[in-house]
Amino acid sequence: CDELDIETDAGSIRGRVVGAHTVALELSRPAAPRSRDLEHDRRTVSGWHVEVGVPHFVLAWPGSLDSAPVTTLGPALRHHETWGAAGANVNFVRFVDRHRLEIRTFERGVEAETLACGSGVMAAAATGIAIGQLQLPVRAQTLGGFELEVAPPLTRDREDAWSLTGDARLIAEGTLHPGALEVPEPPTWSD
């Protein structure tokens, strides 16, 4: 089957197999990026807030991403009071040319830098387009070596969507052994 619908908590996502290890997903276009200044350690950090199903804070990084403080500034901005208890993902982005970006992401929930973040790539592309640095299609280089592409929607009936294309392969299989889900009753503690 070359086409599939994936049911998620956010609704149904249309997908298409486009290569041996490549899948394109049709996702809602991110909300318009909003410029946001955050105070941290007595300085102002300027970036853009973008909603892509989850909140992202996109920072345009002026130099090589090797020097981006993902593991130090990332957690501080992820937990910034502006985002409330849920926090936000933090993306350090370099706009390489009109159709290319590089990205590193500190991701909430993981609480660390991740090898690739699809919603982060969507947020970065939306930001780059909004500030005049990018135009579709956009190719994104991630820390894990994966290259993702943001492009117009897979079908013409979704003007409110973009496609996100990237590597999708089975990396492990496992067998759940009988009894693996059997959990003992909680103990009764002595007085």
Side-chain angles (χ1 to χ4, degrees):
C1 171
D2 288 345
E3 295 195 12
L4 59 139
D5 287 322
I6 303 166
E7 295 299 324
T8 72
D9 288 344
S12 182
I13 296 174
R14 184 179 299 164
R16 180 180 296 153
V17 176
V18 295
H21 300 290
T22 308
V23 171
L25 301 176
E26 190 170 73
L27 302 167
S28 295
R29 186 179 305 159
R34 294 180 307 216
S35 178
R36 180 67 60 92
D37 292 334
L38 302 182
E39 296 301 319
H40 170 68
D41 204 20
R42 291 183 277 192
R43 66 183 179 135
T44 301
V45 179
S46 298
W48 293 269
H49 172 219
V50 186
E51 287 289 331
V52 188
V54 297
H56 284 265
F57 187 55
V58 177
L59 302 166
W61 197 251
S64 170
L65 290 183
D66 280 339
S67 66
V70 179
T71 60
T72 54
L73 184 58
L77 297 178
R78 177 263 186 263
H79 291 285
H80 195 275
E81 64 188 16
T82 298
W83 315 123
N89 292 333
V90 180
N91 309 106
F92 295 80
V93 179
R94 183 169 173 265
F95 301 113
V96 178
D97 63 40
R98 301 288 291 162
H99 296 283
R100 188 161 187 73
L101 66 85
E102 297 170 343
I103 184 169
R104 292 178 65 188
T105 300
F106 188 91
E107 194 164 346
R108 68 184 197 162
V110 177
E111 304 309 327
E113 183 172 9
T114 56
L115 297 178
C117 177
S119 61
V121 168
M122 296 280 285
T127 299
I129 290 168
I131 64 173
Q133 295 290 309
L134 297 174
Q135 61 187 41
L136 293 180
V138 173
R139 299 200 59 87
Q141 184 64 55
T142 67
L143 176 66
F146 300 101
E147 190 170 85
L148 304 178
E149 182 181 69
V150 179
L154 300 172
T155 57
R156 297 180 197 270
D157 66 338
R158 291 282 317 269
E159 292 182 19
D160 65 334
W162 284 346
S163 66
L164 177 65
T165 304
D167 190 282
R169 63 182 74 203
L170 182 63
I171 58 171
E173 286 187 59
T175 302
L176 191 60
H177 293 278
L181 296 177
E182 293 176 15
V183 179
E185 291 293 322
T188 303
W189 300 109
S190 55
D191 292 334

